[in-house]
Amino acid sequence: MPKIQICVFAYNLEGVIESSLNSIIQNLGIYEAEIVVMANGCKDNTVKKINNFKGNYSFVHCDNIALGDKANAWNVFTHNHYTKDAIAIYIDGDLSFSKDAIKNIIEYHLAEPNYNIITSVPWSQGRNSEYYREKIKNNYEVAGGLYLLSPKFMASLKNKTIKFPIGLIGDDSMIAYLAATNLEQNSDQPKGRIGHCFDAEFQYEPLKLSSISDIKLYLRRRVRYSIRYMQQSSIVPQLKINGLKCMPRDARALPKKSLPPIRWTSSNLIFDIIAIQKLTKSNLSIENY
């Protein structure tokens, strides 16, 4: 039986974290896994809910991190919790999964161990899901909700001490780039390095237009999507030119000259404007640029 470790990201998820953990466990099939919940900067009862939950499962653990930052939580799991030769699975803590989704993505890896990363796909019955599924497949993208990294690739990440910049939004986009290049400059070959498991589906709890809190959540997501676009468009070209040595330590503030133009004619306009303001007004020091 392979050694499996699952990293679950949780930020203020008191209402859904228990159901998400249950869904993970229920869909492991015959496999056993160590589950580490990375509670980062939670200000609600998420940690309490996790601690109550893990009392019934010896293989569930909680790391309560003060900094509310997913990229930092990714770094902490990868370099502090991951153990050699394990299959690593990264999951957002606000999801539910299709039957045997975790089992299926593990078995996809066991059948195709040469892929650096294997991604899941959005729920096939969701609105616009077919569009996103085809987009992920055709562009060799990674769905951040659930993806698997091979032991060989994990060893490379740890040996080269690869860390995401603090404040990076979009671990899926960055890990897709790193996997496609095999951590080597000018070696972009996604076809043989990124696999897609269509038998592993995830679903977010649908937002309600009648809910003020859900509308606010949607607007925050749109801003985050624009920040992700700006960050990736700024950082990845530098990595292609100069290699991983120029990966910034902090992505919360970036040089304005490195950011892409605002998408004036798209629905992203107002969110791009907010994103640029957030990324350029900070007084944080900008390193490695």
Side-chain angles (χ1 to χ4, degrees), residues 180-215:
T181 60
N182 204 32
L183 307 183
E184 298 173 1
Q185 191 175 358
N186 300 320
S187 177
D188 198 348
Q189 300 175 28
K191 186 175 181 180
R193 294 169 177 167
I194 298 178
H196 300 84
C197 181
F198 285 88
D199 291 324
E201 298 183 340
F202 64 86
Q203 180 182 9
Y204 289 98
E205 185 176 354
L207 299 180
K208 303 179 182 65
L209 290 177
S210 59
S211 167
I212 297 298
S213 60
D214 279 5
I215 292 173

mmCIF file of all heavy atoms in Angstrom, residues 180-215:
data_model
loop_
_atom_site.group_PDB
_atom_site.id
_atom_site.type_symbol
_atom_site.label_atom_id
_atom_site.label_comp_id
_atom_site.label_asym_id
_atom_site.label_seq_id
_atom_site.Cartn_x
_atom_site.Cartn_y
_atom_site.Cartn_z
ATOM 1 N N ALA A 180 5.399 21.570 -15.351
ATOM 2 C CA ALA A 180 5.587 21.509 -16.808
ATOM 3 C C ALA A 180 7.054 21.669 -17.191
ATOM 4 O O ALA A 180 7.514 21.094 -18.188
ATOM 5 C CB ALA A 180 4.744 22.575 -17.494
ATOM 6 N N THR A 181 7.793 22.444 -16.436
ATOM 7 C CA THR A 181 9.215 22.672 -16.731
ATOM 8 C C THR A 181 10.126 21.702 -15.998
ATOM 9 O O THR A 181 11.344 21.702 -16.239
ATOM 10 C CB THR A 181 9.630 24.100 -16.344
ATOM 11 O OG1 THR A 181 9.400 24.291 -14.934
ATOM 12 C CG2 THR A 181 8.827 25.133 -17.128
ATOM 13 N N ASN A 182 9.571 20.893 -15.095
ATOM 14 C CA ASN A 182 10.370 19.973 -14.288
ATOM 15 C C ASN A 182 11.448 20.718 -13.507
ATOM 16 O O ASN A 182 12.539 20.211 -13.283
ATOM 17 C CB ASN A 182 10.996 18.885 -15.158
ATOM 18 C CG ASN A 182 11.330 17.628 -14.368
ATOM 19 O OD1 ASN A 182 10.643 17.296 -13.411
ATOM 20 N ND2 ASN A 182 12.386 16.949 -14.761
ATOM 21 N N LEU A 183 11.124 21.967 -13.112
ATOM 22 C CA LEU A 183 12.012 22.852 -12.356
ATOM 23 C C LEU A 183 13.266 23.230 -13.140
ATOM 24 O O LEU A 183 14.276 23.634 -12.561
ATOM 25 C CB LEU A 183 12.418 22.216 -11.019
ATOM 26 C CG LEU A 183 11.287 21.730 -10.122
ATOM 27 C CD1 LEU A 183 11.843 21.205 -8.806
ATOM 28 C CD2 LEU A 183 10.277 22.834 -9.864
ATOM 29 N N GLU A 184 13.202 23.103 -14.461
ATOM 30 C CA GLU A 184 14.342 23.433 -15.306
ATOM 31 C C GLU A 184 13.976 24.586 -16.235
ATOM 32 O O GLU A 184 12.910 24.601 -16.850
ATOM 33 C CB GLU A 184 14.758 22.218 -16.136
ATOM 34 C CG GLU A 184 15.208 21.023 -15.293
ATOM 35 C CD GLU A 184 15.440 19.783 -16.134
ATOM 36 O OE1 GLU A 184 15.261 19.873 -17.375
ATOM 37 O OE2 GLU A 184 15.771 18.739 -15.559
ATOM 38 N N GLN A 185 14.864 25.545 -16.336
ATOM 39 C CA GLN A 185 14.616 26.721 -17.174
ATOM 40 C C GLN A 185 14.502 26.321 -18.640
ATOM 41 O O GLN A 185 15.262 25.482 -19.139
ATOM 42 C CB GLN A 185 15.753 27.729 -16.977
ATOM 43 C CG GLN A 185 15.496 29.099 -17.581
ATOM 44 C CD GLN A 185 16.611 30.072 -17.225
ATOM 45 O OE1 GLN A 185 17.532 29.720 -16.500
ATOM 46 N NE2 GLN A 185 16.509 31.287 -17.726
ATOM 47 N N ASN A 186 13.537 26.908 -19.347
ATOM 48 C CA ASN A 186 13.347 26.683 -20.783
ATOM 49 C C ASN A 186 13.121 25.204 -21.115
ATOM 50 O O ASN A 186 13.650 24.681 -22.096
ATOM 51 C CB ASN A 186 14.537 27.222 -21.573
ATOM 52 C CG ASN A 186 14.750 28.703 -21.376
ATOM 53 O OD1 ASN A 186 13.794 29.472 -21.316
ATOM 54 N ND2 ASN A 186 16.009 29.118 -21.243
ATOM 55 N N SER A 187 12.350 24.526 -20.257
ATOM 56 C CA SER A 187 12.056 23.115 -20.488
ATOM 57 C C SER A 187 10.565 22.866 -20.293
ATOM 58 O O SER A 187 10.148 22.028 -19.509
ATOM 59 C CB SER A 187 12.870 22.236 -19.526
ATOM 60 O OG SER A 187 12.550 20.872 -19.700
ATOM 61 N N ASP A 188 9.756 23.618 -21.027
ATOM 62 C CA ASP A 188 8.307 23.581 -20.836
ATOM 63 C C ASP A 188 7.697 22.469 -21.685
ATOM 64 O O ASP A 188 7.478 22.621 -22.885
ATOM 65 C CB ASP A 188 7.718 24.943 -21.217
ATOM 66 C CG ASP A 188 6.321 25.138 -20.645
ATOM 67 O OD1 ASP A 188 5.747 24.148 -20.174
ATOM 68 O OD2 ASP A 188 5.817 26.268 -20.662
ATOM 69 N N GLN A 189 7.407 21.310 -21.043
ATOM 70 C CA GLN A 189 6.839 20.163 -21.739
ATOM 71 C C GLN A 189 5.654 19.615 -20.943
ATOM 72 O O GLN A 189 5.739 18.551 -20.329
ATOM 73 C CB GLN A 189 7.902 19.081 -21.927
ATOM 74 C CG GLN A 189 9.119 19.518 -22.731
ATOM 75 C CD GLN A 189 10.186 18.447 -22.781
ATOM 76 O OE1 GLN A 189 9.897 17.254 -22.689
ATOM 77 N NE2 GLN A 189 11.432 18.865 -22.923
ATOM 78 N N PRO A 190 4.540 20.330 -20.931
ATOM 79 C CA PRO A 190 3.412 19.913 -20.088
ATOM 80 C C PRO A 190 2.795 18.584 -20.486
ATOM 81 O O PRO A 190 2.257 17.875 -19.623
ATOM 82 C CB PRO A 190 2.419 21.064 -20.259
ATOM 83 C CG PRO A 190 2.767 21.680 -21.580
ATOM 84 C CD PRO A 190 4.259 21.563 -21.682
ATOM 85 N N LYS A 191 2.868 18.222 -21.767
ATOM 86 C CA LYS A 191 2.181 17.021 -22.235
ATOM 87 C C LYS A 191 2.624 15.777 -21.492
ATOM 88 O O LYS A 191 1.802 14.907 -21.168
ATOM 89 C CB LYS A 191 2.405 16.842 -23.736
ATOM 90 C CG LYS A 191 1.608 15.687 -24.330
ATOM 91 C CD LYS A 191 1.765 15.618 -25.835
ATOM 92 C CE LYS A 191 0.930 14.472 -26.411
ATOM 93 N NZ LYS A 191 1.053 14.384 -27.888
ATOM 94 N N GLY A 192 3.888 15.641 -21.205
ATOM 95 C CA GLY A 192 4.378 14.444 -20.532
ATOM 96 C C GLY A 192 4.522 14.599 -19.037
ATOM 97 O O GLY A 192 4.968 13.662 -18.357
ATOM 98 N N ARG A 193 4.118 15.762 -18.512
ATOM 99 C CA ARG A 193 4.371 16.030 -17.101
ATOM 100 C C ARG A 193 3.116 16.387 -16.298
ATOM 101 O O ARG A 193 3.148 16.382 -15.079
ATOM 102 C CB ARG A 193 5.399 17.165 -16.979
ATOM 103 C CG ARG A 193 6.762 16.755 -17.524
ATOM 104 C CD ARG A 193 7.705 17.928 -17.668
ATOM 105 N NE ARG A 193 9.026 17.479 -18.123
ATOM 106 C CZ ARG A 193 9.987 18.278 -18.584
ATOM 107 N NH1 ARG A 193 9.761 19.594 -18.642
ATOM 108 N NH2 ARG A 193 11.145 17.787 -18.967
ATOM 109 N N ILE A 194 2.030 16.736 -16.976
ATOM 110 C CA ILE A 194 0.775 17.086 -16.307
ATOM 111 C C ILE A 194 -0.322 16.140 -16.772
ATOM 112 O O ILE A 194 -0.646 16.085 -17.959
ATOM 113 C CB ILE A 194 0.375 18.547 -16.603
ATOM 114 C CG1 ILE A 194 1.436 19.517 -16.081
ATOM 115 C CG2 ILE A 194 -0.984 18.853 -15.966
ATOM 116 C CD1 ILE A 194 1.137 20.976 -16.382
ATOM 117 N N GLY A 195 -0.888 15.371 -15.838
ATOM 118 C CA GLY A 195 -1.962 14.441 -16.168
ATOM 119 C C GLY A 195 -3.301 14.947 -15.660
ATOM 120 O O GLY A 195 -3.365 15.748 -14.725
ATOM 121 N N HIS A 196 -4.378 14.482 -16.277
ATOM 122 C CA HIS A 196 -5.721 14.911 -15.909
ATOM 123 C C HIS A 196 -6.575 13.695 -15.567
ATOM 124 O O HIS A 196 -6.770 12.812 -16.405
ATOM 125 C CB HIS A 196 -6.372 15.686 -17.060
ATOM 126 C CG HIS A 196 -5.629 16.919 -17.449
ATOM 127 N ND1 HIS A 196 -4.557 16.904 -18.317
ATOM 128 C CD2 HIS A 196 -5.794 18.201 -17.071
ATOM 129 C CE1 HIS A 196 -4.098 18.135 -18.456
ATOM 130 N NE2 HIS A 196 -4.834 18.936 -17.717
ATOM 131 N N CYS A 197 -7.077 13.653 -14.355
ATOM 132 C CA CYS A 197 -7.927 12.548 -13.916
ATOM 133 C C CYS A 197 -9.383 13.007 -13.930
ATOM 134 O O CYS A 197 -9.832 13.710 -13.016
ATOM 135 C CB CYS A 197 -7.517 12.086 -12.518
ATOM 136 S SG CYS A 197 -8.486 10.692 -11.909
ATOM 137 N N PHE A 198 -10.119 12.607 -14.940
ATOM 138 C CA PHE A 198 -11.509 13.033 -15.075
ATOM 139 C C PHE A 198 -12.452 12.223 -14.183
ATOM 140 O O PHE A 198 -13.645 12.513 -14.126
ATOM 141 C CB PHE A 198 -11.938 12.953 -16.537
ATOM 142 C CG PHE A 198 -11.371 14.063 -17.378
ATOM 143 C CD1 PHE A 198 -10.129 13.935 -17.986
ATOM 144 C CD2 PHE A 198 -12.062 15.254 -17.532
ATOM 145 C CE1 PHE A 198 -9.601 14.970 -18.740
ATOM 146 C CE2 PHE A 198 -11.543 16.292 -18.288
ATOM 147 C CZ PHE A 198 -10.295 16.156 -18.888
ATOM 148 N N ASP A 199 -11.909 11.221 -13.497
ATOM 149 C CA ASP A 199 -12.704 10.466 -12.542
ATOM 150 C C ASP A 199 -12.524 10.989 -11.115
ATOM 151 O O ASP A 199 -12.981 10.359 -10.164
ATOM 152 C CB ASP A 199 -12.318 8.986 -12.580
ATOM 153 C CG ASP A 199 -12.736 8.326 -13.883
ATOM 154 O OD1 ASP A 199 -13.814 8.692 -14.393
ATOM 155 O OD2 ASP A 199 -12.000 7.463 -14.393
ATOM 156 N N ALA A 200 -11.858 12.132 -11.003
ATOM 157 C CA ALA A 200 -11.723 12.804 -9.707
ATOM 158 C C ALA A 200 -12.329 14.192 -9.858
ATOM 159 O O ALA A 200 -11.738 15.076 -10.471
ATOM 160 C CB ALA A 200 -10.257 12.889 -9.292
ATOM 161 N N GLU A 201 -13.528 14.364 -9.333
ATOM 162 C CA GLU A 201 -14.244 15.633 -9.468
ATOM 163 C C GLU A 201 -14.432 16.286 -8.101
ATOM 164 O O GLU A 201 -14.582 15.601 -7.090
ATOM 165 C CB GLU A 201 -15.615 15.414 -10.105
ATOM 166 C CG GLU A 201 -15.572 14.849 -11.506
ATOM 167 C CD GLU A 201 -16.959 14.719 -12.106
ATOM 168 O OE1 GLU A 201 -17.962 14.701 -11.346
ATOM 169 O OE2 GLU A 201 -17.071 14.631 -13.332
ATOM 170 N N PHE A 202 -14.440 17.604 -8.102
ATOM 171 C CA PHE A 202 -14.723 18.336 -6.871
ATOM 172 C C PHE A 202 -15.825 19.347 -7.124
ATOM 173 O O PHE A 202 -16.084 19.752 -8.255
ATOM 174 C CB PHE A 202 -13.467 19.049 -6.350
ATOM 175 C CG PHE A 202 -12.933 20.126 -7.277
ATOM 176 C CD1 PHE A 202 -13.431 21.417 -7.223
ATOM 177 C CD2 PHE A 202 -11.926 19.840 -8.190
ATOM 178 C CE1 PHE A 202 -12.949 22.405 -8.068
ATOM 179 C CE2 PHE A 202 -11.433 20.817 -9.042
ATOM 180 C CZ PHE A 202 -11.945 22.104 -8.977
ATOM 181 N N GLN A 203 -16.456 19.764 -6.045
ATOM 182 C CA GLN A 203 -17.553 20.726 -6.153
ATOM 183 C C GLN A 203 -17.491 21.704 -4.989
ATOM 184 O O GLN A 203 -17.347 21.315 -3.825
ATOM 185 C CB GLN A 203 -18.905 20.009 -6.147
ATOM 186 C CG GLN A 203 -20.091 20.955 -6.260
ATOM 187 C CD GLN A 203 -21.418 20.218 -6.192
ATOM 188 O OE1 GLN A 203 -21.465 19.028 -5.902
ATOM 189 N NE2 GLN A 203 -22.506 20.921 -6.463
ATOM 190 N N TYR A 204 -17.583 22.996 -5.300
ATOM 191 C CA TYR A 204 -17.721 24.022 -4.267
ATOM 192 C C TYR A 204 -19.192 24.157 -3.902
ATOM 193 O O TYR A 204 -20.074 23.889 -4.718
ATOM 194 C CB TYR A 204 -17.227 25.380 -4.774
ATOM 195 C CG TYR A 204 -15.732 25.479 -4.942
ATOM 196 C CD1 TYR A 204 -15.143 25.306 -6.196
ATOM 197 C CD2 TYR A 204 -14.905 25.766 -3.859
ATOM 198 C CE1 TYR A 204 -13.767 25.404 -6.353
ATOM 199 C CE2 TYR A 204 -13.536 25.862 -4.014
ATOM 200 C CZ TYR A 204 -12.969 25.685 -5.259
ATOM 201 O OH TYR A 204 -11.612 25.775 -5.413
ATOM 202 N N GLU A 205 -19.444 24.580 -2.692
ATOM 203 C CA GLU A 205 -20.809 24.884 -2.313
ATOM 204 C C GLU A 205 -21.291 26.059 -3.157
ATOM 205 O O GLU A 205 -20.622 27.096 -3.218
ATOM 206 C CB GLU A 205 -20.879 25.251 -0.825
ATOM 207 C CG GLU A 205 -22.286 25.466 -0.317
ATOM 208 C CD GLU A 205 -22.325 25.727 1.182
ATOM 209 O OE1 GLU A 205 -21.273 25.617 1.823
ATOM 210 O OE2 GLU A 205 -23.417 26.036 1.691
ATOM 211 N N PRO A 206 -22.404 25.913 -3.869
ATOM 212 C CA PRO A 206 -22.859 26.983 -4.765
ATOM 213 C C PRO A 206 -23.216 28.259 -4.016
ATOM 214 O O PRO A 206 -23.744 28.223 -2.904
ATOM 215 C CB PRO A 206 -24.092 26.375 -5.447
ATOM 216 C CG PRO A 206 -24.566 25.307 -4.502
ATOM 217 C CD PRO A 206 -23.334 24.759 -3.853
ATOM 218 N N LEU A 207 -22.912 29.397 -4.637
ATOM 219 C CA LEU A 207 -23.241 30.688 -4.053
ATOM 220 C C LEU A 207 -24.705 31.025 -4.355
ATOM 221 O O LEU A 207 -25.252 30.626 -5.376
ATOM 222 C CB LEU A 207 -22.334 31.770 -4.616
ATOM 223 C CG LEU A 207 -20.833 31.603 -4.362
ATOM 224 C CD1 LEU A 207 -20.055 32.751 -4.991
ATOM 225 C CD2 LEU A 207 -20.541 31.513 -2.874
ATOM 226 N N LYS A 208 -25.309 31.787 -3.458
ATOM 227 C CA LYS A 208 -26.706 32.185 -3.625
ATOM 228 C C LYS A 208 -26.783 33.682 -3.894
ATOM 229 O O LYS A 208 -26.256 34.495 -3.117
ATOM 230 C CB LYS A 208 -27.508 31.839 -2.366
ATOM 231 C CG LYS A 208 -27.465 30.376 -1.970
ATOM 232 C CD LYS A 208 -28.264 30.148 -0.706
ATOM 233 C CE LYS A 208 -28.197 28.699 -0.244
ATOM 234 N NZ LYS A 208 -26.821 28.310 0.161
ATOM 235 N N LEU A 209 -27.433 34.049 -4.994
ATOM 236 C CA LEU A 209 -27.567 35.467 -5.330
ATOM 237 C C LEU A 209 -28.421 36.208 -4.319
ATOM 238 O O LEU A 209 -28.349 37.436 -4.210
ATOM 239 C CB LEU A 209 -28.178 35.605 -6.729
ATOM 240 C CG LEU A 209 -27.281 35.176 -7.897
ATOM 241 C CD1 LEU A 209 -28.037 35.291 -9.215
ATOM 242 C CD2 LEU A 209 -26.013 36.014 -7.944
ATOM 243 N N SER A 210 -29.213 35.477 -3.564
ATOM 244 C CA SER A 210 -30.070 36.102 -2.559
ATOM 245 C C SER A 210 -29.330 36.381 -1.251
ATOM 246 O O SER A 210 -29.873 37.017 -0.345
ATOM 247 C CB SER A 210 -31.279 35.206 -2.268
ATOM 248 O OG SER A 210 -30.845 33.931 -1.808
ATOM 249 N N SER A 211 -28.091 35.903 -1.165
ATOM 250 C CA SER A 211 -27.313 36.056 0.062
ATOM 251 C C SER A 211 -26.308 37.196 -0.077
ATOM 252 O O SER A 211 -25.452 37.180 -0.972
ATOM 253 C CB SER A 211 -26.578 34.753 0.381
ATOM 254 O OG SER A 211 -25.611 34.954 1.382
ATOM 255 N N ILE A 212 -26.408 38.193 0.797
ATOM 256 C CA ILE A 212 -25.471 39.317 0.774
ATOM 257 C C ILE A 212 -24.048 38.822 1.021
ATOM 258 O O ILE A 212 -23.093 39.267 0.359
ATOM 259 C CB ILE A 212 -25.841 40.379 1.831
ATOM 260 C CG1 ILE A 212 -27.224 40.968 1.519
ATOM 261 C CG2 ILE A 212 -24.795 41.486 1.874
ATOM 262 C CD1 ILE A 212 -27.307 41.677 0.188
ATOM 263 N N SER A 213 -23.882 37.900 1.966
ATOM 264 C CA SER A 213 -22.546 37.383 2.273
ATOM 265 C C SER A 213 -21.961 36.630 1.082
ATOM 266 O O SER A 213 -20.755 36.707 0.817
ATOM 267 C CB SER A 213 -22.586 36.473 3.500
ATOM 268 O OG SER A 213 -23.444 35.363 3.280
ATOM 269 N N ASP A 214 -22.805 35.901 0.332
ATOM 270 C CA ASP A 214 -22.317 35.185 -0.852
ATOM 271 C C ASP A 214 -21.939 36.160 -1.965
ATOM 272 O O ASP A 214 -20.959 35.928 -2.693
ATOM 273 C CB ASP A 214 -23.380 34.215 -1.360
ATOM 274 C CG ASP A 214 -23.403 32.918 -0.565
ATOM 275 O OD1 ASP A 214 -22.661 32.835 0.429
ATOM 276 O OD2 ASP A 214 -24.151 31.994 -0.938
ATOM 277 N N ILE A 215 -22.682 37.237 -2.109
ATOM 278 C CA ILE A 215 -22.344 38.256 -3.113
ATOM 279 C C ILE A 215 -20.996 38.895 -2.778
ATOM 280 O O ILE A 215 -20.146 39.093 -3.651
ATOM 281 C CB ILE A 215 -23.454 39.327 -3.192
ATOM 282 C CG1 ILE A 215 -24.729 38.730 -3.779
ATOM 283 C CG2 ILE A 215 -22.987 40.516 -4.038
ATOM 284 C CD1 ILE A 215 -25.927 39.651 -3.735
#
